[in-house]
Amino acid sequence: AQKVTQAQTEISVVEKEDVTLDCVYETRDTTYYLFWYKQPPSGELVFLIRRNSFDEQNEISGRYSWNFQKSTSSFNFTITASQVVDSAVYFCALSEIRSYNTDKLIFGTGTRLQVFP
Amino acid sequence: DAGVTQSPTHLIKTRGQQVTLRCSPKSGHDTVSWYQQALGQGPQFIFQYYEEEERQRGNFPDRFSGHQFPNYSSELNVNALLLGDSALYLCASSLYGGEGYEQYFGPGTRLTVT
Protein backbone atom coordinates (compact mmCIF):
# COMPACT_ATOMS: atom_id res chain seq x y z
CA ALA A 1 0.00 0.00 0.00
CA GLN A 2 1.09 3.55 -0.60
CA LYS A 3 1.70 5.82 2.35
CA VAL A 4 3.22 9.22 3.03
CA THR A 5 4.48 10.19 6.48
CA GLN A 6 5.18 13.72 7.60
CA ALA A 7 6.33 13.27 11.17
CA GLN A 8 6.60 16.99 11.93
CA THR A 9 3.16 18.26 12.83
CA GLU A 10 4.19 21.85 13.42
CA ILE A 11 7.39 23.86 13.07
CA SER A 12 7.98 27.40 14.27
CA VAL A 13 10.94 29.48 13.15
CA VAL A 14 11.99 33.08 13.16
CA GLU A 15 12.29 34.91 9.88
CA LYS A 16 15.54 34.30 7.96
CA GLU A 17 16.07 30.89 9.55
CA ASP A 18 16.41 27.87 7.28
CA VAL A 19 13.85 25.12 7.80
CA THR A 20 13.55 21.56 6.48
CA LEU A 21 10.27 19.70 6.18
CA ASP A 22 10.59 15.92 6.19
CA CYS A 23 8.68 13.47 4.03
CA VAL A 24 9.00 9.69 4.02
CA TYR A 25 7.00 7.55 1.63
CA GLU A 26 6.14 3.91 1.09
CA THR A 27 5.22 2.32 -2.20
CA ARG A 28 5.65 -1.01 -3.95
CA ASP A 29 5.73 0.69 -7.33
CA THR A 30 9.07 1.12 -9.02
CA THR A 31 7.84 4.19 -10.86
CA TYR A 32 6.01 6.98 -9.10
CA TYR A 33 5.74 10.73 -8.67
CA LEU A 34 6.38 12.76 -5.55
CA PHE A 35 4.92 16.20 -4.94
CA TRP A 36 4.96 19.07 -2.52
CA TYR A 37 1.95 21.35 -2.13
CA LYS A 38 1.49 24.49 -0.04
CA GLN A 39 -1.86 25.25 1.59
CA PRO A 40 -2.21 28.83 2.85
CA PRO A 41 -5.10 29.77 5.16
CA SER A 42 -7.32 30.36 2.12
CA GLY A 43 -7.41 26.58 1.65
CA GLU A 44 -6.32 26.26 -1.96
CA LEU A 45 -3.52 23.77 -2.55
CA VAL A 46 -0.65 25.38 -4.44
CA PHE A 47 1.61 23.09 -6.46
CA LEU A 48 5.32 23.50 -5.66
CA ILE A 49 7.16 20.63 -7.29
CA ARG A 50 6.81 17.24 -8.95
CA ARG A 51 9.62 14.72 -9.04
CA ASN A 52 9.55 11.33 -10.76
CA SER A 53 11.22 8.26 -9.34
CA PHE A 54 13.76 8.13 -12.17
CA ASP A 55 15.27 11.45 -11.30
CA GLU A 56 17.13 11.69 -8.01
CA GLN A 57 18.75 15.00 -8.77
CA ASN A 58 18.16 17.63 -6.15
CA GLU A 59 16.33 20.70 -7.28
CA ILE A 60 16.58 24.33 -6.28
CA SER A 61 14.05 27.03 -7.07
CA GLY A 62 14.87 30.33 -5.48
CA ARG A 63 14.73 29.88 -1.70
CA TYR A 64 13.22 26.40 -2.09
CA SER A 65 15.18 23.19 -2.51
CA TRP A 66 14.26 19.54 -2.51
CA ASN A 67 16.32 16.50 -1.62
CA PHE A 68 15.11 13.19 -3.04
CA GLN A 69 16.79 10.05 -1.71
CA LYS A 70 15.37 6.83 -3.04
CA SER A 71 17.57 4.74 -0.74
CA THR A 72 15.81 6.15 2.32
CA SER A 73 12.43 6.78 0.61
CA SER A 74 12.60 10.43 1.55
CA PHE A 75 11.74 13.64 -0.27
CA ASN A 76 12.61 16.53 2.01
CA PHE A 77 11.88 20.19 1.41
CA THR A 78 14.10 23.04 2.61
CA ILE A 79 13.21 26.72 2.73
CA THR A 80 16.24 28.96 2.99
CA ALA A 81 15.97 32.32 4.71
CA SER A 82 12.32 31.80 5.61
CA GLN A 83 9.83 34.65 5.37
CA VAL A 84 6.52 35.33 7.07
CA VAL A 85 4.75 34.66 3.75
CA ASP A 86 6.03 31.08 3.91
CA SER A 87 3.65 30.40 6.82
CA ALA A 88 1.27 27.69 5.65
CA VAL A 89 0.60 23.97 5.82
CA TYR A 90 2.84 21.97 3.52
CA PHE A 91 1.84 18.58 2.14
CA CYS A 92 3.95 15.90 0.59
CA ALA A 93 2.13 13.57 -1.80
CA LEU A 94 2.73 10.44 -3.87
CA SER A 95 1.11 9.02 -6.98
CA GLU A 96 1.60 6.17 -9.38
CA ILE A 97 2.72 6.95 -12.89
CA ARG A 98 0.02 5.99 -15.36
CA SER A 99 0.29 5.95 -19.10
CA TYR A 100 -2.28 8.52 -20.03
CA ASN A 101 -3.98 9.91 -17.03
CA THR A 102 -3.38 11.41 -13.67
CA ASP A 103 -3.46 9.03 -10.78
CA LYS A 104 -4.87 9.87 -7.39
CA LEU A 105 -2.61 11.66 -4.96
CA ILE A 106 -1.81 10.09 -1.61
CA PHE A 107 -1.13 12.89 0.85
CA GLY A 108 0.69 13.03 4.15
CA THR A 109 -0.92 14.68 7.13
CA GLY A 110 0.93 17.93 6.51
CA THR A 111 3.38 20.11 8.42
CA ARG A 112 2.22 23.48 9.67
CA LEU A 113 5.02 26.02 9.32
CA GLN A 114 4.84 29.26 11.27
CA VAL A 115 7.41 31.92 10.50
CA PHE A 116 7.57 34.72 13.04
CA PRO A 117 8.96 38.16 12.26
CA ASP B 1 -6.75 31.82 -17.94
CA ALA B 2 -9.43 30.72 -15.51
CA GLY B 3 -8.30 28.37 -12.79
CA VAL B 4 -10.37 25.74 -11.01
CA THR B 5 -13.51 27.19 -9.48
CA GLN B 6 -15.79 25.65 -6.88
CA SER B 7 -19.17 26.58 -5.48
CA PRO B 8 -20.43 27.26 -2.96
CA THR B 9 -17.60 28.48 -0.75
CA HIS B 10 -19.27 27.48 2.47
CA LEU B 11 -22.26 25.33 3.26
CA ILE B 12 -24.07 24.32 6.43
CA LYS B 13 -26.33 21.28 6.37
CA THR B 14 -28.17 19.17 8.89
CA ARG B 15 -27.46 15.51 9.52
CA GLY B 16 -29.43 13.32 7.12
CA GLN B 17 -29.70 15.93 4.40
CA GLN B 18 -28.20 15.76 0.94
CA VAL B 19 -25.68 18.17 -0.59
CA THR B 20 -24.33 18.96 -4.05
CA LEU B 21 -20.98 20.63 -4.60
CA ARG B 22 -19.85 21.98 -7.96
CA CYS B 23 -16.53 22.30 -9.74
CA SER B 24 -15.41 23.87 -13.00
CA PRO B 25 -12.00 22.69 -14.18
CA LYS B 26 -9.14 24.84 -15.34
CA SER B 27 -9.51 25.92 -18.95
CA GLY B 28 -8.36 23.14 -21.27
CA HIS B 29 -8.58 20.40 -18.64
CA ASP B 30 -10.85 17.40 -19.04
CA THR B 31 -10.34 15.33 -15.88
CA VAL B 32 -11.74 16.17 -12.47
CA SER B 33 -10.82 14.60 -9.13
CA TRP B 34 -12.46 15.19 -5.76
CA TYR B 35 -10.77 15.10 -2.38
CA GLN B 36 -12.06 15.36 1.18
CA GLN B 37 -9.89 17.13 3.75
CA ALA B 38 -10.93 16.78 7.36
CA LEU B 39 -9.62 19.30 9.84
CA GLY B 40 -5.94 18.76 10.56
CA GLN B 41 -5.60 16.01 7.98
CA GLY B 42 -4.30 15.65 4.46
CA PRO B 43 -6.74 15.44 1.55
CA GLN B 44 -8.23 12.00 0.88
CA PHE B 45 -9.10 10.95 -2.67
CA ILE B 46 -12.81 10.39 -3.27
CA PHE B 47 -13.06 9.75 -7.02
CA GLN B 48 -12.00 10.89 -10.47
CA TYR B 49 -14.07 11.59 -13.58
CA TYR B 50 -13.04 11.56 -17.21
CA GLU B 51 -15.31 11.41 -20.27
CA GLU B 52 -18.30 11.61 -17.94
CA GLU B 53 -17.38 8.33 -16.25
CA GLU B 54 -15.96 7.51 -12.84
CA ARG B 55 -12.44 6.21 -13.55
CA GLN B 56 -11.05 5.72 -10.06
CA ARG B 57 -12.58 5.63 -6.61
CA GLY B 58 -11.11 5.92 -3.16
CA ASN B 59 -12.35 4.29 0.00
CA PHE B 60 -15.61 6.21 0.36
CA PRO B 61 -19.12 4.80 0.78
CA ASP B 62 -21.78 4.88 -1.92
CA ARG B 63 -23.33 7.91 -0.24
CA PHE B 64 -20.69 9.81 -2.17
CA SER B 65 -21.50 10.02 -5.85
CA GLY B 66 -20.54 12.27 -8.69
CA HIS B 67 -21.18 13.36 -12.18
CA GLN B 68 -19.26 14.97 -15.00
CA PHE B 69 -20.94 17.04 -17.67
CA PRO B 70 -20.03 17.38 -21.36
CA ASN B 71 -18.34 20.71 -20.61
CA TYR B 72 -16.07 18.82 -18.13
CA SER B 73 -17.54 20.46 -15.04
CA SER B 74 -18.39 18.13 -12.21
CA GLU B 75 -20.65 17.67 -9.22
CA LEU B 76 -20.10 15.82 -5.98
CA ASN B 77 -23.21 14.59 -4.21
CA VAL B 78 -23.33 13.34 -0.66
CA ASN B 79 -26.51 11.71 0.65
CA ALA B 80 -27.60 11.06 4.23
CA LEU B 81 -25.04 13.44 5.66
CA LEU B 82 -23.20 12.46 8.82
CA LEU B 83 -21.41 14.72 11.26
CA GLY B 84 -18.16 13.13 10.07
CA ASP B 85 -18.74 14.46 6.56
CA SER B 86 -17.83 17.93 7.80
CA ALA B 87 -14.70 18.82 5.87
CA LEU B 88 -13.13 20.92 3.14
CA TYR B 89 -13.97 19.39 -0.24
CA LEU B 90 -11.36 20.06 -2.87
CA CYS B 91 -11.69 19.68 -6.59
CA ALA B 92 -8.65 19.18 -8.80
CA SER B 93 -8.42 19.21 -12.56
CA SER B 94 -5.87 17.81 -14.98
CA LEU B 95 -5.42 17.01 -18.65
CA TYR B 96 -5.69 13.46 -19.91
CA GLY B 97 -2.64 12.41 -21.90
CA GLY B 98 -0.86 15.73 -21.57
CA GLU B 99 1.30 16.92 -18.72
CA GLY B 100 -1.53 15.36 -16.81
CA TYR B 101 0.38 14.56 -13.72
CA GLU B 102 -0.04 18.03 -12.32
CA GLN B 103 -3.37 18.45 -10.63
CA TYR B 104 -4.57 22.01 -10.17
CA PHE B 105 -6.72 22.53 -7.12
CA GLY B 106 -9.63 24.83 -6.51
CA PRO B 107 -10.22 26.84 -3.31
CA GLY B 108 -12.54 24.21 -1.90
CA THR B 109 -16.02 24.10 -0.39
CA ARG B 110 -16.18 23.99 3.38
CA LEU B 111 -19.09 21.79 4.44
CA THR B 112 -20.34 21.84 8.00
CA VAL B 113 -22.84 19.22 9.10
CA THR B 114 -24.74 19.96 12.30
Side-chain angles (χ1 to χ4, degrees), chain B residues 16-31:
Chain B
Q17 286 188 318
Q18 179 264 344
V19 68
T20 297
L21 310 181
R22 295 177 176 82
C23 171
S24 291
K26 177 180 167 66
S27 179
H29 284 183
D30 55 11
T31 301

mmCIF file with all atom_site columns, all heavy atoms in Angstrom, chain B residues 16-31:
data_model
loop_
_atom_site.group_PDB
_atom_site.id
_atom_site.type_symbol
_atom_site.label_atom_id
_atom_site.label_alt_id
_atom_site.label_comp_id
_atom_site.label_asym_id
_atom_site.label_entity_id
_atom_site.label_seq_id
_atom_site.pdbx_PDB_ins_code
_atom_site.Cartn_x
_atom_site.Cartn_y
_atom_site.Cartn_z
_atom_site.occupancy
_atom_site.B_iso_or_equiv
_atom_site.pdbx_formal_charge
_atom_site.auth_seq_id
_atom_site.auth_comp_id
_atom_site.auth_asym_id
_atom_site.auth_atom_id
_atom_site.pdbx_PDB_model_num
ATOM 1   N N   . GLY B 1 16 ? -28.376 13.999 7.860   1.00 0.00 ? 16 GLY B N   1
ATOM 2   C CA  . GLY B 1 16 ? -29.432 13.319 7.122   1.00 0.00 ? 16 GLY B CA  1
ATOM 3   C C   . GLY B 1 16 ? -29.786 13.985 5.800   1.00 0.00 ? 16 GLY B C   1
ATOM 4   O O   . GLY B 1 16 ? -30.398 13.346 4.926   1.00 0.00 ? 16 GLY B O   1
ATOM 5   N N   . GLN B 1 17 ? -29.397 15.228 5.655   1.00 0.00 ? 17 GLN B N   1
ATOM 6   C CA  . GLN B 1 17 ? -29.697 15.929 4.405   1.00 0.00 ? 17 GLN B CA  1
ATOM 7   C C   . GLN B 1 17 ? -28.753 15.506 3.286   1.00 0.00 ? 17 GLN B C   1
ATOM 8   O O   . GLN B 1 17 ? -27.822 14.720 3.488   1.00 0.00 ? 17 GLN B O   1
ATOM 9   C CB  . GLN B 1 17 ? -29.591 17.451 4.621   1.00 0.00 ? 17 GLN B CB  1
ATOM 10  C CG  . GLN B 1 17 ? -30.735 18.053 5.401   1.00 0.00 ? 17 GLN B CG  1
ATOM 11  C CD  . GLN B 1 17 ? -30.668 19.577 5.417   1.00 0.00 ? 17 GLN B CD  1
ATOM 12  O OE1 . GLN B 1 17 ? -29.599 20.181 5.573   1.00 0.00 ? 17 GLN B OE1 1
ATOM 13  N NE2 . GLN B 1 17 ? -31.815 20.214 5.248   1.00 0.00 ? 17 GLN B NE2 1
ATOM 14  N N   . GLN B 1 18 ? -29.016 16.041 2.107   1.00 0.00 ? 18 GLN B N   1
ATOM 15  C CA  . GLN B 1 18 ? -28.196 15.765 0.939   1.00 0.00 ? 18 GLN B CA  1
ATOM 16  C C   . GLN B 1 18 ? -27.559 17.067 0.483   1.00 0.00 ? 18 GLN B C   1
ATOM 17  O O   . GLN B 1 18 ? -28.121 18.152 0.699   1.00 0.00 ? 18 GLN B O   1
ATOM 18  C CB  . GLN B 1 18 ? -29.084 15.184 -0.178  1.00 0.00 ? 18 GLN B CB  1
ATOM 19  C CG  . GLN B 1 18 ? -28.363 14.871 -1.469  1.00 0.00 ? 18 GLN B CG  1
ATOM 20  C CD  . GLN B 1 18 ? -28.477 15.989 -2.500  1.00 0.00 ? 18 GLN B CD  1
ATOM 21  O OE1 . GLN B 1 18 ? -29.318 16.874 -2.400  1.00 0.00 ? 18 GLN B OE1 1
ATOM 22  N NE2 . GLN B 1 18 ? -27.620 15.975 -3.491  1.00 0.00 ? 18 GLN B NE2 1
ATOM 23  N N   . VAL B 1 19 ? -26.366 16.967 -0.140  1.00 0.00 ? 19 VAL B N   1
ATOM 24  C CA  . VAL B 1 19 ? -25.679 18.173 -0.587  1.00 0.00 ? 19 VAL B CA  1
ATOM 25  C C   . VAL B 1 19 ? -25.050 17.938 -1.959  1.00 0.00 ? 19 VAL B C   1
ATOM 26  O O   . VAL B 1 19 ? -24.671 16.800 -2.293  1.00 0.00 ? 19 VAL B O   1
ATOM 27  C CB  . VAL B 1 19 ? -24.587 18.584 0.437   1.00 0.00 ? 19 VAL B CB  1
ATOM 28  C CG1 . VAL B 1 19 ? -23.452 17.571 0.470   1.00 0.00 ? 19 VAL B CG1 1
ATOM 29  C CG2 . VAL B 1 19 ? -24.066 19.973 0.146   1.00 0.00 ? 19 VAL B CG2 1
ATOM 30  N N   . THR B 1 20 ? -24.985 19.001 -2.745  1.00 0.00 ? 20 THR B N   1
ATOM 31  C CA  . THR B 1 20 ? -24.327 18.957 -4.051  1.00 0.00 ? 20 THR B CA  1
ATOM 32  C C   . THR B 1 20 ? -23.286 20.063 -4.122  1.00 0.00 ? 20 THR B C   1
ATOM 33  O O   . THR B 1 20 ? -23.597 21.226 -3.875  1.00 0.00 ? 20 THR B O   1
ATOM 34  C CB  . THR B 1 20 ? -25.343 19.136 -5.197  1.00 0.00 ? 20 THR B CB  1
ATOM 35  O OG1 . THR B 1 20 ? -26.267 18.049 -5.179  1.00 0.00 ? 20 THR B OG1 1
ATOM 36  C CG2 . THR B 1 20 ? -24.623 19.154 -6.543  1.00 0.00 ? 20 THR B CG2 1
ATOM 37  N N   . LEU B 1 21 ? -22.067 19.678 -4.440  1.00 0.00 ? 21 LEU B N   1
ATOM 38  C CA  . LEU B 1 21 ? -20.977 20.631 -4.605  1.00 0.00 ? 21 LEU B CA  1
ATOM 39  C C   . LEU B 1 21 ? -20.582 20.656 -6.075  1.00 0.00 ? 21 LEU B C   1
ATOM 40  O O   . LEU B 1 21 ? -20.642 19.629 -6.761  1.00 0.00 ? 21 LEU B O   1
ATOM 41  C CB  . LEU B 1 21 ? -19.768 20.214 -3.751  1.00 0.00 ? 21 LEU B CB  1
ATOM 42  C CG  . LEU B 1 21 ? -20.051 19.883 -2.277  1.00 0.00 ? 21 LEU B CG  1
ATOM 43  C CD1 . LEU B 1 21 ? -18.755 19.523 -1.567  1.00 0.00 ? 21 LEU B CD1 1
ATOM 44  C CD2 . LEU B 1 21 ? -20.769 21.014 -1.585  1.00 0.00 ? 21 LEU B CD2 1
ATOM 45  N N   . ARG B 1 22 ? -20.136 21.821 -6.543  1.00 0.00 ? 22 ARG B N   1
ATOM 46  C CA  . ARG B 1 22 ? -19.850 21.983 -7.965  1.00 0.00 ? 22 ARG B CA  1
ATOM 47  C C   . ARG B 1 22 ? -18.416 22.422 -8.218  1.00 0.00 ? 22 ARG B C   1
ATOM 48  O O   . ARG B 1 22 ? -17.819 23.126 -7.407  1.00 0.00 ? 22 ARG B O   1
ATOM 49  C CB  . ARG B 1 22 ? -20.834 22.980 -8.571  1.00 0.00 ? 22 ARG B CB  1
ATOM 50  C CG  . ARG B 1 22 ? -22.266 22.476 -8.538  1.00 0.00 ? 22 ARG B CG  1
ATOM 51  C CD  . ARG B 1 22 ? -23.270 23.480 -9.060  1.00 0.00 ? 22 ARG B CD  1
ATOM 52  N NE  . ARG B 1 22 ? -24.608 22.892 -9.088  1.00 0.00 ? 22 ARG B NE  1
ATOM 53  C CZ  . ARG B 1 22 ? -25.418 22.807 -8.036  1.00 0.00 ? 22 ARG B CZ  1
ATOM 54  N NH1 . ARG B 1 22 ? -25.026 23.294 -6.862  1.00 0.00 ? 22 ARG B NH1 1
ATOM 55  N NH2 . ARG B 1 22 ? -26.608 22.260 -8.142  1.00 0.00 ? 22 ARG B NH2 1
ATOM 56  N N   . CYS B 1 23 ? -17.918 22.007 -9.381  1.00 0.00 ? 23 CYS B N   1
ATOM 57  C CA  . CYS B 1 23 ? -16.535 22.305 -9.742  1.00 0.00 ? 23 CYS B CA  1
ATOM 58  C C   . CYS B 1 23 ? -16.435 22.555 -11.241 1.00 0.00 ? 23 CYS B C   1
ATOM 59  O O   . CYS B 1 23 ? -16.974 21.786 -12.045 1.00 0.00 ? 23 CYS B O   1
ATOM 60  C CB  . CYS B 1 23 ? -15.641 21.126 -9.363  1.00 0.00 ? 23 CYS B CB  1
ATOM 61  S SG  . CYS B 1 23 ? -13.944 21.236 -9.982  1.00 0.00 ? 23 CYS B SG  1
ATOM 62  N N   . SER B 1 24 ? -15.733 23.630 -11.597 1.00 0.00 ? 24 SER B N   1
ATOM 63  C CA  . SER B 1 24 ? -15.407 23.874 -13.001 1.00 0.00 ? 24 SER B CA  1
ATOM 64  C C   . SER B 1 24 ? -13.913 23.758 -13.158 1.00 0.00 ? 24 SER B C   1
ATOM 65  O O   . SER B 1 24 ? -13.153 24.423 -12.450 1.00 0.00 ? 24 SER B O   1
ATOM 66  C CB  . SER B 1 24 ? -15.871 25.271 -13.429 1.00 0.00 ? 24 SER B CB  1
ATOM 67  O OG  . SER B 1 24 ? -17.270 25.326 -13.473 1.00 0.00 ? 24 SER B OG  1
ATOM 68  N N   . PRO B 1 25 ? -13.443 22.914 -14.061 1.00 0.00 ? 25 PRO B N   1
ATOM 69  C CA  . PRO B 1 25 ? -11.998 22.688 -14.178 1.00 0.00 ? 25 PRO B CA  1
ATOM 70  C C   . PRO B 1 25 ? -11.281 23.870 -14.815 1.00 0.00 ? 25 PRO B C   1
ATOM 71  O O   . PRO B 1 25 ? -11.896 24.756 -15.399 1.00 0.00 ? 25 PRO B O   1
ATOM 72  C CB  . PRO B 1 25 ? -11.907 21.455 -15.080 1.00 0.00 ? 25 PRO B CB  1
ATOM 73  C CG  . PRO B 1 25 ? -13.153 21.497 -15.908 1.00 0.00 ? 25 PRO B CG  1
ATOM 74  C CD  . PRO B 1 25 ? -14.202 22.094 -15.012 1.00 0.00 ? 25 PRO B CD  1
ATOM 75  N N   . LYS B 1 26 ? -9.992  23.847 -14.677 1.00 0.00 ? 26 LYS B N   1
ATOM 76  C CA  . LYS B 1 26 ? -9.136  24.838 -15.338 1.00 0.00 ? 26 LYS B CA  1
ATOM 77  C C   . LYS B 1 26 ? -9.364  24.738 -16.843 1.00 0.00 ? 26 LYS B C   1
ATOM 78  O O   . LYS B 1 26 ? -9.581  23.658 -17.381 1.00 0.00 ? 26 LYS B O   1
ATOM 79  C CB  . LYS B 1 26 ? -7.683  24.537 -14.984 1.00 0.00 ? 26 LYS B CB  1
ATOM 80  C CG  . LYS B 1 26 ? -6.624  25.428 -15.630 1.00 0.00 ? 26 LYS B CG  1
ATOM 81  C CD  . LYS B 1 26 ? -5.248  24.984 -15.156 1.00 0.00 ? 26 LYS B CD  1
ATOM 82  C CE  . LYS B 1 26 ? -4.141  25.616 -15.993 1.00 0.00 ? 26 LYS B CE  1
ATOM 83  N NZ  . LYS B 1 26 ? -4.079  27.075 -15.821 1.00 0.00 ? 26 LYS B NZ  1
ATOM 84  N N   . SER B 1 27 ? -9.300  25.880 -17.507 1.00 0.00 ? 27 SER B N   1
ATOM 85  C CA  . SER B 1 27 ? -9.507  25.919 -18.946 1.00 0.00 ? 27 SER B CA  1
ATOM 86  C C   . SER B 1 27 ? -8.576  24.947 -19.658 1.00 0.00 ? 27 SER B C   1
ATOM 87  O O   . SER B 1 27 ? -7.361  24.937 -19.418 1.00 0.00 ? 27 SER B O   1
ATOM 88  C CB  . SER B 1 27 ? -9.253  27.352 -19.444 1.00 0.00 ? 27 SER B CB  1
ATOM 89  O OG  . SER B 1 27 ? -9.413  27.418 -20.841 1.00 0.00 ? 27 SER B OG  1
ATOM 90  N N   . GLY B 1 28 ? -9.153  24.104 -20.516 1.00 0.00 ? 28 GLY B N   1
ATOM 91  C CA  . GLY B 1 28 ? -8.362  23.140 -21.269 1.00 0.00 ? 28 GLY B CA  1
ATOM 92  C C   . GLY B 1 28 ? -8.231  21.781 -20.601 1.00 0.00 ? 28 GLY B C   1
ATOM 93  O O   . GLY B 1 28 ? -7.755  20.827 -21.218 1.00 0.00 ? 28 GLY B O   1
ATOM 94  N N   . HIS B 1 29 ? -8.654  21.675 -19.351 1.00 0.00 ? 29 HIS B N   1
ATOM 95  C CA  . HIS B 1 29 ? -8.575  20.403 -18.641 1.00 0.00 ? 29 HIS B CA  1
ATOM 96  C C   . HIS B 1 29 ? -9.854  19.592 -18.826 1.00 0.00 ? 29 HIS B C   1
ATOM 97  O O   . HIS B 1 29 ? -10.938 20.145 -18.987 1.00 0.00 ? 29 HIS B O   1
ATOM 98  C CB  . HIS B 1 29 ? -8.323  20.626 -17.151 1.00 0.00 ? 29 HIS B CB  1
ATOM 99  C CG  . HIS B 1 29 ? -6.916  20.991 -16.834 1.00 0.00 ? 29 HIS B CG  1
ATOM 100 N ND1 . HIS B 1 29 ? -6.484  21.173 -15.536 1.00 0.00 ? 29 HIS B ND1 1
ATOM 101 C CD2 . HIS B 1 29 ? -5.838  21.187 -17.623 1.00 0.00 ? 29 HIS B CD2 1
ATOM 102 C CE1 . HIS B 1 29 ? -5.192  21.476 -15.549 1.00 0.00 ? 29 HIS B CE1 1
ATOM 103 N NE2 . HIS B 1 29 ? -4.785  21.508 -16.797 1.00 0.00 ? 29 HIS B NE2 1
ATOM 104 N N   . ASP B 1 30 ? -9.696  18.252 -18.790 1.00 0.00 ? 30 ASP B N   1
ATOM 105 C CA  . ASP B 1 30 ? -10.848 17.395 -19.039 1.00 0.00 ? 30 ASP B CA  1
ATOM 106 C C   . ASP B 1 30 ? -11.086 16.360 -17.945 1.00 0.00 ? 30 ASP B C   1
ATOM 107 O O   . ASP B 1 30 ? -12.022 15.574 -18.034 1.00 0.00 ? 30 ASP B O   1
ATOM 108 C CB  . ASP B 1 30 ? -10.677 16.685 -20.386 1.00 0.00 ? 30 ASP B CB  1
ATOM 109 C CG  . ASP B 1 30 ? -9.367  15.900 -20.481 1.00 0.00 ? 30 ASP B CG  1
ATOM 110 O OD1 . ASP B 1 30 ? -8.687  15.724 -19.445 1.00 0.00 ? 30 ASP B OD1 1
ATOM 111 O OD2 . ASP B 1 30 ? -9.018  15.482 -21.604 1.00 0.00 ? 30 ASP B OD2 1
ATOM 112 N N   . THR B 1 31 ? -10.236 16.326 -16.950 1.00 0.00 ? 31 THR B N   1
ATOM 113 C CA  . THR B 1 31 ? -10.336 15.329 -15.877 1.00 0.00 ? 31 THR B CA  1
ATOM 114 C C   . THR B 1 31 ? -10.514 16.039 -14.536 1.00 0.00 ? 31 THR B C   1
ATOM 115 O O   . THR B 1 31 ? -9.803  17.009 -14.261 1.00 0.00 ? 31 THR B O   1
ATOM 116 C CB  . THR B 1 31 ? -9.069  14.463 -15.830 1.00 0.00 ? 31 THR B CB  1
ATOM 117 O OG1 . THR B 1 31 ? -8.898  13.815 -17.091 1.00 0.00 ? 31 THR B OG1 1
ATOM 118 C CG2 . THR B 1 31 ? -9.168  13.406 -14.737 1.00 0.00 ? 31 THR B CG2 1
#
